[in-house]
Amino acid sequence: MSSKPTESESRLLTQEYEVLHEVARVLHSSQGMKSMLENVLLVLTGFDELKVERKAGIFLADPDKKVLNLYCTLGEFTSVFLENEQVIPYGDCLCGRVAESGELLMSESCFSDARHERRYEGMQAHGHYIVPLKTREKLLGVMFLYTNTNPSWYKHSQEVLLSIGGLVADAIEHSLVEEELTRYRNELEERVVERNIDLKQVNTTLQKEVVERTNAENELKNIREQLRNLSNHLQNIREEEKTRIAREVHDELGQSLTALKMDLVCLKDELPEQRAELAERVQSMSGLIDSTITSVQRISSELRPQILDVMGLCEAIAWQAKEYQKRTNLQFDLNCEHIPLNKELTTDLFRIFQEALTNVVRHAEADRVRVGFLQKGNRLTMEIEDNGKGMPLEKIDHSQSLGLIGIRERILFLDGDVEFLSKPGEGTKVVVNIPLEP
Ligand SMILES: Nc1ncnc2c1ncn2[C@@H]1O[C@H](COP(=O)(O)OP(=O)(O)O)[C@@H](O)[C@H]1O
Ligand SMILES: [Mg+2]
């Protein structure tokens, strides 16, 4: 049965309540850890019943090194004291003992207590409360409060001090975690800033590289186009040259030879009959002139067949096929339409046809060739297909396949496309498609 508290007991209870309330308020205020703890010390030194003097301090524990580090003090301490009390090993003097035991310690007087090992010149007689700052059995520090030489040891003093120690320890742990978090956050922010700078640099370098590469690509494109134009130009010059030489050879040489032949016929008529050996000479000269005329015609046609300009591509293809048939044992299967085309296109298609045909004769070992030349809608299709051994795939894009490259270049200029289709042993098919202007 608890009896009704006396008036002095009530006063004490009120004071305890007030101190605890004040400590809790200070610990919940949003100041930094140091001023928060200094204010706690200030509240406690105002608690009359403990007979505390205005001198107190807090150590923080370093469990790895097993030492206490002086964190803050309240009241007047000599500089010698402050210097020497910065670090206290666990077990040393009063505070070190509390760090080791985790128990509250009260000392009547620094002079009579043998545990008070550290003494200083001019030290005044005083007593102590040494309070462990523990939260969930973990020691975070030690709080010391100076008292007069006779500290109060009233009924609740230990409980109150231990409760306050627990509250302070919680607050310290909270602050330390927060400090750590802030440190991490700052570190992270710094890293993000560094990373951003790095990324920006990488980005700048990349952009520069992209610009350089684009420039190089454009330059390459230009050069390729120039080369293509040059090749086309040379091709045209060559064609004109061939046409001119073919005409001159055909017309001038041909006419002179024909005139010569006619003269020879007259000469033969006028020879006396008894000069039979002269008549024979004239006969053989006439034969020589005939075969020379044939040669001149052949050379002229090989340079540029007149039929191409006079009759058109379809007829030129037929003529060329017949020429090949005479010289090789190739059989031709022609399916060509007569399509009126301009001179350039006629020339290009004829030269492509000739190159494809030369390849058949040279490489294919074929005995049949099918040639198609047709108009389908507004495009032209030309196909040259042999039944030979087939074209090795790697030759199609080989840099040394100059004949095939020439075909491709001509087609490219005409906005068309060409395909080389081939399987080993199954022959080769060259398919050309050219769009016709509407
Ligand atoms: N109709 C074909 N049949 C088999 N192989 C072919 C045929 N056409 C081309 N080729 C192959 O492709 C190569 C490249 O042809 P081309 O560029 O015209 O060069 P070239 O005729 O001067 O060798 C030829 O060397 C040959 O091996
Ligand atoms: Mg060739």
Side-chain angles (χ1 to χ4, degrees), residues 355-356 358-359 362-363 402-404:
E355 175 61 35
T358 311
N359 278 350
R362 268 220 219 140
H363 310 294
L402 296 181
L404 304 186

Side-chain angles (χ1 to χ4, degrees), residues 355-356 358-365 386 388-392 395-396 398 400-405 407 422 427-430:
E355 175 61 35
T358 311
N359 278 350
V360 174
V361 174
R362 268 220 219 140
H363 310 294
E365 297 166 21
D386 66 62
K389 64 178 184 184
M391 182 192 310
K395 294 281 185 180
I396 295 179
H398 200 280
Q400 293 301 315
S401 297
L402 296 181
L404 304 186
I405 290 174
I407 293 180
S422 184
T428 301
K429 185 171 170 182
V430 182

Side-chain angles (χ1 to χ4, degrees), residues 29-161:
S29 63
S30 61
Q31 46 199 331
M33 183 159 112
K34 193 150 200 161
S35 58
M36 176 181 83
L37 294 181
E38 281 167 356
N39 282 331
V40 168
L41 294 176
L42 200 60
V43 172
L44 287 179
T45 54
F47 189 5
D48 290 345
E49 205 53 39
L50 287 173
K51 304 209 174 84
V52 185
E53 293 180 349
R54 276 182 64 86
K55 272 179 117 176
I58 288 178
F59 288 100
L60 294 184
D62 181 342
D64 294 333
K65 293 188 184 156
K66 292 205 173 304
V67 293
L68 294 171
N69 295 307
L70 187 60
Y71 183 69
C72 65
T73 57
L74 176 81
E76 306 261 314
F77 290 98
T78 64
S79 56
V80 180
F81 172 89
L82 291 175
E83 218 170 275
N84 285 302
E85 297 294 305
Q86 284 303 315
V87 183
I88 308 282
Y90 281 17
D92 196 12
C93 204
L94 301 182
C95 292
R97 283 186 160 78
V98 170
E100 216 166 48
S101 69
E103 306 283 343
L104 179 83
L105 184 153
M106 294 214 328
S107 172
E108 302 270 319
S109 163
C110 55
F111 291 125
S112 61
D113 193 330
R115 297 171 301 181
H116 200 301
E117 289 150 343
R118 297 178 170 224
R119 310 224 162 157
Y120 301 102
E121 209 175 307
M123 196 166 80
Q124 304 279 315
H126 61 275
H128 279 296
Y129 294 113
I130 316 282
V131 185
L133 305 177
K134 272 199 311 188
T135 170
R136 280 161 271 125
E137 290 312 307
K138 181 173 155 199
L139 184 101
L140 289 165
V142 169
M143 174 168 71
F144 60 91
L145 304 166
Y146 276 39
T147 70
N148 62 25
T149 47
N150 191 14
S152 165
W153 196 234
Y154 81 93
K155 197 174 158 201
H156 290 148
S157 58
Q158 294 190 56
E159 288 165 31
V160 171
L161 286 171

Side-chain angles (χ1 to χ4, degrees), residues 187-286:
E187 236 178 72
L188 212 67
E189 269 167 21
E190 262 171 42
R191 260 193 242 166
V192 167
V193 169
E194 276 170 22
R195 201 56 189 276
N196 274 347
I197 292 174
D198 281 355
L199 279 177
K200 252 190 206 154
Q201 278 170 352
V202 169
N203 201 16
T204 315
T205 319
L206 272 179
Q207 272 174 350
K208 231 172 92 187
E209 269 176 28
V210 167
V211 169
E212 278 169 13
R213 193 167 288 191
T214 312
N215 287 345
E217 267 170 23
N218 285 342
E219 202 168 320
L220 206 67
K221 239 190 236 166
N222 276 344
I223 291 175
R224 202 175 286 162
E225 201 167 313
Q226 283 171 4
L227 274 178
R228 197 158 280 153
N229 286 337
L230 183 65
S231 144
N232 186 51
H233 180 64
L234 288 177
Q235 207 106 249
N236 288 342
I237 290 178
R238 226 176 117 219
E239 205 61 48
E240 279 168 23
E241 201 67 5
K242 275 184 179 178
T243 311
R244 189 180 59 78
I245 296 172
R247 196 175 304 130
E248 278 176 15
V249 166
H250 183 271
D251 294 357
E252 293 189 12
L253 266 184
Q255 273 166 26
S256 307
L257 284 169
T258 310
L260 210 59
K261 172 113 192 256
M262 274 154 50
D263 285 351
L264 212 58
V265 171
C266 294
L267 197 68
K268 193 182 167 197
D269 288 345
E270 290 185 15
L271 278 178
E273 274 183 30
Q274 62 272 38
R275 300 296 303 269
E277 83 283 3
L278 279 183
E280 232 168 77
R281 282 283 288 281
V282 168
Q283 187 61 37
S284 96
M285 276 171 80
S286 168

Side-chain angles (χ1 to χ4, degrees), residues 296-313:
V296 163
Q297 277 169 347
R298 185 178 51 77
I299 290 169
S300 159
S301 294
E302 274 171 10
L303 280 168
R304 183 177 173 92
Q306 260 188 342
I307 193 170
L308 194 58
D309 298 318
V310 179
M311 308 285 284
L313 184 57

